[in-house]
């Protein structure tokens, strides 16, 4: 039996599901005393440093946690739960942490590497521990903008370190107190093995030797991610199906193309080695997700068997129902996080937000991006961009940011700009992709999912010109999407641009190319992959 510290801030369903999958019963902390009396405690940290500390304080959990840790009773912290062991964080100035480890959490400096760090990176073990006895150097899933510095005086706490521009502490351990910056519950089979080790009865005390493990000095490297995307909507019989469009047209002879069932396909892609799964509820702009429970059900069922990050998009916006009850975008996102999502993606509402911002020059704090990122952190907010090329003869013909393109327009035009659309590409708006992504980053989004309507379903490769243009102006991770037709397209996008991830849909659903085939081709070119 293990006890979970859930303070209602986000997706801890996957931790719960991972424990259940390992055949262990999960108890919840109901009152402060449960923290002290629990046999084994798992504390999955979700949200910003300040939010986590606020919630702990409101519930009277701070003192019992400190007591448990000082008494050396089995404790496993995940992500922000590692960070709150420290004295404080640059993320939430003035908010004291638990103060167990005498150092402060810092923000990644950025520069060449995008912040947040999102993806699969290695760890270098610095000492032996039974928890890591079945760990063989595989990559683990990280998502964070702040890090624990690896310099003293915390040496005696360091279990593992990782490189992301700088060398940081990716795991701490002293006696029976352990915390990971990575997410074991999102790190596929290897993560489950680590969790299983913690849950073993004989590992009640996670014995460690003080003898340092030889550190081979190799730098760890973040992997490029391969993401499987499932566009989901109801067909004419009312069944929720995975569909796929050509330039966003998902109908064939009046029927919605049906390429499979969402939960089954997601499981297949997880087993084939997808680094992440994305669900896009493509009619979310007209249905309201909180009344469209099948999508929530899909997430809940998927997270029972899929232990890599899940993103969900579609319909994240404010909504007033027939009774006059108003739901905020935060309400919608919270429902998705509670149902198993790690990130939400915002499409149409991001475009409206940016239009508003460009006309007033003011941040309202009320947009979906601001609301959700302030509670769950920027890494939880992806912007799904649906741009379409607009060709012009010369940059002077438009006020928008143009590129000189190798792929000329229908009348031989040599320039184009990328127009943002809403409602699944049905409506073009007067803003361009550069305006959209730069403002979204400023408002707090943590990643860009860069589709391209012209390329969608074409199988003729990603729009490299678009990807380069966007990568040049943002410092958050970018996912290239639309147009993948063969493995070499992934090699091309990773070699010719600095994009962090590449996503495909049609080739996976139609079983034309396997995720394993892509990874083999990418590795053969010396590109880091999981
Ligand atoms: O506007 O916040 O409600 O979100 C709606 C979401 O649904 C957006 O993320 C939008 O991209 C998506 N969407 C809306 N309509 C469609 C459609 O296809 N008719 N799908 C749609 C977008 C694009 C990719 C696709 C890639 C890869 N699909 O997700 O999977 O282009 O495809 P490929 O590898 O087969 O080329 P909101």
């Amino acid at each position: 039996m293990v006890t979970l510290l859930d303070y209602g801030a986000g997706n801890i369903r996957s931790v719960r599901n991972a424990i259940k999958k390992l055949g262990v019963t999960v108890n919840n902390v109901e009152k402060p005393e449960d923290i002290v009396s629990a046999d084994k405690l798992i504390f999955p940290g979700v949200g910003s440093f300040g939010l986590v500390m606020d919630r702990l304080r409101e519930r009277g959990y701070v003192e019992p946690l400190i007591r448990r840790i000082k008494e050396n009773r089995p404790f496993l912290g995940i992500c922000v739960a590692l960070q709150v062991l420290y004295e404080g964080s640059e993320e939430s100035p003035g908010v004291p942490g638990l103060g167990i480890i005498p150092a402060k959490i810092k923000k990644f400096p950025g520069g060449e590497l995008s912040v947040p760090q999102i993806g699969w990176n290695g760890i270098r073990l610095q000492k032996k521990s039974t928890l890591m006895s079945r760990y063989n150097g595989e990559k683990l899933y990280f998502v964070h903008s702040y890090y624990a510095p690896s310099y003293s005086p915390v040496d005696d706490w360091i279990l593992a370190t990782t490189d992301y521009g700088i060398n940081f502490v990716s795991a701490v351990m002293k006696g029976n107190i352990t915390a990971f910056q990575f997410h074991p519950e999102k790190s596929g089979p290897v993560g489950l093995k680590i969790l299983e080790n913690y849950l073993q009865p004989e590992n009640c005390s996670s014995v460690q030797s003080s003898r340092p493990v030889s550190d081979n000095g190799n730098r760890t490297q973040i992997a490029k991610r391969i993401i499987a995307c499932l566009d989901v909507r109801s067909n004419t019989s009312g069944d929720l199906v995975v569909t796929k469009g050509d330039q966003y047209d998902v109908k064939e002879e009046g029927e919605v193309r049906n390429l499979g069932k969402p939960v089954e396909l997601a499981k297949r892609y997880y087993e084939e080695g997808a680094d992440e799964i994305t669900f896009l509820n493509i009619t979310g702009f007209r249905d309201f997700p909180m009344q469209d429970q099948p999508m929530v059900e899909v997430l809940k069922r998927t997270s029972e068997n899929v232990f890599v990050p899940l993103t969900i998009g579609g319909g994240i916006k404010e909504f007033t129902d027939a009774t006059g009850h108003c739901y905020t975008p935060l309400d919608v996102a919270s429902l998705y996080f509670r149902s198993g999502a790690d990130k939400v993606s915002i499409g149409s509402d991001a475009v409206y937000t940016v239009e508003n911002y460009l006309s007033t020059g003011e941040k309202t704090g009320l947009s979906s991006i601001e609301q959700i990122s302030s509670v769950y952190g920027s890494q939880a907010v992806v912007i799904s961009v649906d741009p379409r090329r607009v060709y012009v003869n010369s940059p002077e013909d438009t006020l928008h940011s143009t590129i000189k393109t190798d792929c000329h327009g229908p009348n031989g035009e040599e320039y184009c700009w990328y127009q943002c659309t809403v409602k699944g590409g049905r409506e073009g708006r007067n803003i361009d992709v550069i305006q959209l992504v730069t403002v979204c980053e400023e408002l707090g989004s943590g990643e860009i999912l860069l589709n391209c309507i012209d390329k969608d379903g074409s199988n003729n490769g990603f729009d490299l010109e678009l990807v380069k243009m966007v990568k040049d102006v943002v410092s958050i991770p970018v996912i290239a999407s639309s147009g993948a037709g063969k493995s070499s397209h992934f090699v091309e996008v990773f070699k010719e641009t600095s994009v962090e991830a590449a996503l495909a849909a049609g080739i996976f659903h139609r079983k034309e190319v396997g995720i394993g085939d892509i990874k083999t081709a990418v590795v053969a070119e010396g590109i880091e992959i999981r």
Side-chain angles (χ1 to χ4, degrees), residues 230 260-271 301-302:
L230 294 85
K261 295 183 178 171
V263 179
E264 282 78 351
L265 273 188
K267 182 164 181 275
R268 189 184 112 205
Y269 299 145
Y270 167 64
E271 286 165 357
R301 285 182 45 217
T302 301

Side-chain angles (χ1 to χ4, degrees), residues 229 231 244 248 280 282 315 347-348 384 386 424 451 456-457 481-483 505-506:
C229 182
D231 289 355
K244 186 67 213 66
Y248 285 32
L280 295 176
I282 67 170
S348 307
S384 172
D386 299 317
N451 304 299
D456 177 55
S481 164
S482 305

Side-chain angles (χ1 to χ4, degrees), residues 411-488:
N411 303 307
E413 296 94 333
E414 291 187 3
Y415 294 85
C416 76
W417 62 280
Y418 289 90
Q419 180 185 32
C420 293
T421 66
V422 292
K423 302 178 184 165
R426 287 170 181 78
E427 191 183 317
R429 308 290 295 189
N430 190 28
I431 65 167
D432 62 56
V433 72
I434 298 303
Q435 291 172 300
L436 185 83
V437 297
T438 49
V439 174
C440 286
E441 177 174 4
E442 195 182 327
L443 293 178
S445 61
E447 195 170 35
I448 302 292
L449 164 52
L450 188 56
N451 304 299
C452 176
I453 298 180
D454 310 83
K455 286 283 192 171
D456 177 55
S458 68
N459 279 22
N460 66 8
F462 297 99
D463 188 334
L464 301 179
E465 294 177 331
L466 169 64
V467 175
K468 282 181 196 160
M469 187 187 195
V470 167
K471 273 303 291 181
D472 277 352
V473 297
V474 293
S475 53
I476 54 180
V478 174
I479 303 165
S481 164
S482 305
K486 50 188 177 183
S487 298
S488 61

Side-chain angles (χ1 to χ4, degrees), residues 15-33:
V15 179
R16 199 180 292 282
N17 284 339
I19 300 168
K20 279 192 192 154
K21 182 104 187 156
L22 297 166
V24 175
T25 310
V26 187
N27 265 349
N28 293 318
V29 168
E30 307 280 358
K31 48 190 187 315
E33 303 84 77

Side-chain angles (χ1 to χ4, degrees), residues 13 17 59 68 98 111-112 114 120 182 209-210 232 240 258 260 284 288 309 318 354 392 394 411 419 426 475 502 528:
R13 178 176 288 269
N17 284 339
R59 288 167 165 72
R68 181 178 184 95
L98 297 177
E112 288 216 336
S114 300
W120 300 74
F182 56 85
S209 101
S210 54
V232 177
L240 207 61
N258 180 351
F288 181 57
E318 188 177 295
V354 173
V392 287
S394 133
N411 303 307
Q419 180 185 32
R426 287 170 181 78
S475 53
E528 196 75 13

